[in-house]
């Protein structure tokens, strides 16, 4: 699949690290380091602009290493970039740790996954089919 990309940063394009990788790391494109205090959030620009085919989205997800080691995650995970969006990709990062975290220019801050999606059409009904689970909600399928 070919995706058009415009890169206004001086960083390399997102790429897959291994043949089996689902996501591509994206890097911060910032003029000065950003200090993210505990429980603070900010939008970090990437310098990337993409043109996806209709029927596809780009999902912005956390990097597991940043989350596990530093408590840094993507706040609206996964963030969705629609096929008709042409603006710069920004990543909403939040610091869930107890320590300040400094984001440097060029740092890998998130991963991007290109995914196919379907469009649904609603069919209004008065009843739904019965299932074993029924109306059981949060935790209803776990061990009791």
């Amino acid at each position: 699949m070919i995706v058009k990309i415009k890169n206004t940063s001086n960083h390399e394009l997102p790429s897959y690290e291994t043949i089996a990788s689902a996501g591509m790391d994206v890097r911060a494109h910032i003029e000065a380091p950003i200090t993210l205090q505990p429980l603070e959030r900010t939008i970090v620009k990437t310098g990337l602009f993409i043109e996806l085919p209709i029927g596809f989205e780009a999902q912005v997800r956390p990097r597991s290493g940043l989350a596990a080691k530093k408590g840094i995650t993507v706040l609206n995970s996964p963030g969705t970039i629609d096929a008709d969006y042409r603006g710069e990709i920004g990543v909403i990062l939040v610091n869930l740790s107890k320590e300040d975290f400094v984001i440097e220019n060029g740092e890998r801050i998130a991963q991007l996954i290109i995914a196919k999606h379907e469009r649904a059409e609603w069919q209004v009904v008065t009843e739904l089919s019965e299932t074993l689970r029924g109306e059981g909600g949060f935790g209803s399928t776990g061990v009791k």
Side-chain angles (χ1 to χ4, degrees):
M1 151 185 251
I2 303 294
V3 175
K4 294 179 182 177
I5 187 166
K6 178 176 144 184
N7 184 3
T8 62
S9 79
N10 57 349
H11 308 301
E12 61 192 65
L13 292 177
S15 62
Y16 299 101
E17 294 296 321
T18 70
I19 191 69
S21 295
M24 300 174 270
D25 289 342
V26 293
R27 299 175 183 274
H29 176 59
I30 51 180
E31 293 182 17
I34 297 171
T35 299
L36 203 55
Q37 297 176 349
L39 299 180
E40 186 179 16
R41 65 186 177 273
T42 192
I43 298 174
V44 181
K45 297 296 187 173
T46 64
L48 301 174
F49 303 74
I50 60 176
E51 183 178 328
L52 293 167
I54 293 174
F56 288 85
E57 66 165 326
Q59 299 174 359
V60 182
R61 297 186 185 182
R63 292 191 63 240
S64 57
L66 273 183
K69 296 174 186 173
K70 302 291 183 176
I72 305 301
T73 191
V74 176
L75 190 57
N76 63 324
S77 181
T80 295
I81 301 168
D82 294 310
D84 58 353
Y85 177 67
R86 296 294 183 268
E88 182 174 3
I89 295 173
V91 178
I92 306 170
L93 290 181
V94 64
N95 182 353
L96 299 179
S97 77
K98 295 179 181 178
E99 300 175 6
D100 288 357
F101 179 76
V102 178
I103 304 163
E104 302 283 350
N105 184 43
E107 185 166 358
R108 296 180 300 160
I109 57 169
Q111 57 181 326
L112 206 59
I113 294 177
I114 307 300
K116 188 169 182 53
H117 68 83
E118 300 292 330
R119 287 186 57 95
E121 291 185 31
W122 297 114
Q123 178 184 8
V124 179
V125 298
T126 57
E127 292 184 24
L128 301 175
S129 64
E130 296 287 329
T131 68
L132 185 60
R133 180 177 182 179
E135 294 183 16
F138 299 106
S140 66
T141 61
V143 178
K144 299 190 183 213

